[in-house]
Amino acid sequence: MLRRLAPALVLVFVLVLFFISYTRRVPLREFTVSRFMMDTYIQITVMEKDPAKAAAAIEDAFSVFKKVEDEMNFFSNSSLLSRLNKRAAAGVEVPEDIAFLIRESIKYGELSGGAYDITVGSLMKVWPFGESNPTVPDKKKISGALKEVGFRKIKINGRTLILEKGMEIDLSACDKGYAVDKAIEVLQRHGITSGMVNAGGNLKTIGVNIKGKPWFIGVQHPRKKSALLATLELDGRAVATSGDYQRFFFQNGVRYHHLLDPYTGYPARRCISATILAPTACLADILSTAVFVLGPDEGMKLLEKLGCDGIIVTEKEIFVSKGLQGKIKM
Amino acid sequence: MLKKYDKLIILLCIAGFFFSLAGILRTKPASFIEIKTPAETKRYNLQDQDITVKGALGDTVVIVRDSRVRVADSSCPDKWCRESGWIDKGGESIICLPNKVVVSIKSESGQREKVDAITF
């Protein structure tokens, strides 16, 4: 009897061994660390087996954000950019990353016909977003600040920057995207093959998610707080959104938000949100602002010209670029 | 006396037992609230309660009702977190940037529901 059952017992033994190895194998785990930096909430996620390797990669990726914040925070008097802005009328040497972002910003400032302008900082300082009991600034203050806006007056030769007196460079509409790209590069240098860097909804991914599937992203509905407007699978491109619901206040029933039109000095009114898919997070960041200010007609033309995709929402309509049609769920 | 097919059935039953056990060990875990402040990250259950935490600027009051969570009051200037309303799904968060408080609904496994991230 026992002899006849022996093959069966051997099989059971093998199955037990298989079960033990199945439950004890070292799986790919998801590690996420979140921090408040660059005036937003940054989440870095990696898939790794080794916790120490994951922690080292994430820490190094966060150091990118620290460096960019220390260098480029427009609203901190101690940042390098603020100190450079004060001396730029006489000509200053800027670090290569700032010079790169200024050159990129001038390029996309031209392509967007001035809708994207890194000299709107003086205007941003006039508007009291984020303060208690904010009110619309006086017209004279806005027109005064507008005189210092105009990216075409920026002179940059190599790393030498010269600004007109009173003019200031504000990289807030591209620095987070730039930091996301650099943080992704850091993760890849650490050998991370799957992960995500998300700086307040401006995000880029590598590889696949913890389920082994393409990263699945939701687009915030601009008017329904707990709802998604759309979902889409990311194809390796970065995504960023600009919306009138991010920083705003109401006065006499009118919404005043932080995405200012460089031509008028007042909040841009052609749309209520713009979500952009671009090869880099820096470009997605830049284009989300540019397209928001341009609105759906000119915005879609710009996206088509650059081979990028987007979802542009106005109070009445939703516009989806050709490249995304059929690929998103509304 | 056991026949060839009896043995096969016994083997299949044993295999089924082990894989069922593996399935039981991987059952869906419960959801919970995670509140992150500058000082600490703490977990709370989803039972009705009022939670007051210290943020960078002052207190944030979080209320839980019928497994839904919202910020009832905050020391931040813009009160956007308070205006965010209720969250009730795993993976949803309310982020108060000025007060540096994050209120999230999570599950034991850390797995999110539906989407991996939201662009906003």
Side-chain angles (χ1 to χ4, degrees):
Chain A
M1 170 78 177
L2 198 62
R3 191 172 291 176
R4 283 179 188 170
L5 274 176
L9 287 170
V10 168
L11 265 171
V12 168
F13 181 68
V14 169
L15 274 171
V16 169
L17 284 180
F18 175 74
F19 172 75
I20 291 168
S21 67
Y22 174 72
T23 51
R24 287 195 175 184
R25 69 185 170 158
V26 182
L28 214 54
R29 287 168 59 196
E30 186 183 75
F31 297 89
T32 299
V33 179
S34 314
R35 288 177 195 164
F36 284 99
M37 292 173 92
M38 294 188 75
D39 200 25
T40 192
Y41 189 57
I42 294 159
Q43 289 180 292
I44 300 179
T45 298
V46 301
M47 310 313 160
E48 237 305 307
K49 288 179 181 175
D50 179 3
K53 185 180 169 184
I58 290 172
E59 204 52 47
D60 273 3
F62 267 115
S63 68
V64 170
F65 285 94
K66 173 84 171 69
K67 181 175 181 285
V68 172
E69 185 174 38
D70 289 346
E71 274 191 8
M72 304 181 197
N73 185 350
F74 179 72
F75 294 97
S76 162
N77 287 329
S78 62
S79 76
L80 179 63
L81 184 63
S82 292
R83 286 181 278 134
L84 291 170
N85 270 333
K86 282 177 192 143
R87 297 189 283 115
V92 285
E93 285 285 304
V94 301
E96 182 47 43
D97 50 0
I98 290 182
F100 167 78
L101 285 178
I102 292 173
R103 286 194 292 268
E104 285 290 286
S105 296
I106 292 171
K107 177 182 165 187
Y108 290 103
E110 288 291 355
L111 283 167
S112 67
Y116 174 77
D117 194 323
I118 52 167
T119 60
V120 292
S122 54
L123 270 173
M124 289 300 292
K125 284 182 174 171
V126 169
W127 284 86
F129 299 111
E131 292 177 15
S132 302
N133 306 315
T135 53
V136 177
D138 185 72
K139 274 185 185 174
K140 281 182 187 171
K141 273 190 178 177
I142 291 175
S143 55
L146 264 178
K147 287 175 189 162
E148 285 152 13
V149 175
F151 73 94
R152 291 185 180 93
K153 296 176 202 163
I154 299 170
K155 291 190 180 94
I156 183 142
N157 186 6
R159 286 170 49 196
T160 306
L161 170 71
I162 304 171
L163 297 177
E164 282 196 357
K165 203 173 179 186
M167 184 180 261
E168 290 180 291
I169 281 178
D170 175 4
L171 298 172
S172 306
C174 62
D175 59 1
K176 279 186 273 297
Y178 175 78
V180 168
D181 290 329
K182 292 293 160 190
I184 285 282
E185 285 175 17
V186 167
L187 294 183
Q188 287 173 319
R189 279 204 294 276
H190 275 267
I192 301 296
T193 53
S194 283
M196 170 167 57
V197 178
N198 182 355
N202 184 335
L203 61 95
K204 188 165 170 63
T205 61
I206 41 175
V208 290
N209 69 12
I210 192 67
K211 296 164 196 160
K213 292 180 177 170
W215 291 91
F216 194 49
I217 303 300
V219 178
Q220 172 68 44
H221 195 293
R223 289 292 177 262
K224 296 175 187 166
K225 281 161 192 163
S226 295
L228 296 179
L229 174 81
T231 52
L232 60 116
E233 281 183 1
L234 271 189
D235 51 8
R237 286 186 289 180
V239 61
T241 298
S242 287
D244 69 356
Y245 52 89
Q246 293 160 336
R247 283 174 197 180
F248 66 93
F249 60 88
F250 279 102
Q251 187 170 313
N252 300 326
V254 179
R255 182 191 292 259
Y256 293 90
H257 60 81
H258 75 298
L259 294 158
L260 303 175
D261 185 329
Y263 284 104
T264 64
Y266 286 85
R269 298 290 184 198
R270 294 185 186 94
C271 58
I272 60 175
S273 84
T275 297
I276 308 299
L277 274 83
T280 65
C282 183
L283 183 55
D285 204 0
I286 288 172
L287 291 179
S288 68
T289 305
V291 169
F292 185 97
V293 173
L294 286 171
D297 295 342
E298 293 303 312
M300 280 300 176
K301 281 182 197 166
L302 179 63
L303 290 179
E304 206 162 307
K305 189 175 180 181
L306 296 171
C308 296
D309 281 304
I311 304 168
I312 305 171
V313 186
T314 67
E315 289 283 7
K316 292 177 182 172
E317 274 184 274
I318 300 169
F319 298 83
V320 179
S321 65
K322 283 178 191 163
L324 281 184
Q325 284 171 14
K327 292 180 183 170
I328 59 169
K329 287 179 188 166
M330 306 293 278
Chain B
M1 195 60 72
L2 289 169
K3 289 181 182 171
K4 193 178 174 184
Y5 288 109
D6 294 334
K7 288 177 194 169
L8 191 66
I9 287 166
I10 290 169
L11 274 175
L12 285 173
C13 287
I14 292 168
F17 167 76
F18 280 112
F19 282 104
S20 301
L21 191 65
I24 289 163
L25 291 172
R26 289 163 174 243
T27 48
K28 199 184 170 190
S31 294
F32 61 91
I33 305 161
E34 184 184 275
I35 302 182
K36 187 174 175 162
T37 65
E40 59 184 359
T41 301
K42 276 184 84 171
R43 288 180 177 193
Y44 303 85
N45 61 40
L46 277 161
Q47 286 169 354
D48 286 7
Q49 58 185 309
D50 293 7
I51 306 160
T52 302
V53 295
K54 275 247 175 296
L57 301 174
D59 288 348
T60 293
V61 181
V62 178
I63 59 170
V64 189
R65 299 285 185 272
D66 303 322
S67 299
R68 298 184 309 153
V69 186
R70 69 169 294 168
V71 171
D73 200 9
S74 169
S75 304
C76 60
D78 55 14
K79 315 288 183 200
W80 170 241
C81 53
R82 195 179 63 189
E83 299 301 313
S84 298
W86 297 98
I87 56 170
D88 57 8
K89 297 179 193 75
E92 286 187 331
S93 298
I94 300 169
I95 301 168
C96 180
L97 286 176
N99 209 24
K100 298 193 189 314
V101 172
V102 184
V103 182
S104 310
I105 299 180
K106 297 199 167 186
S107 65
E108 287 287 350
S109 70
Q111 285 189 337
R112 286 173 296 268
E113 289 174 19
K114 291 182 182 174
V115 295
D116 294 306
I118 296 172
T119 178
F120 56 90

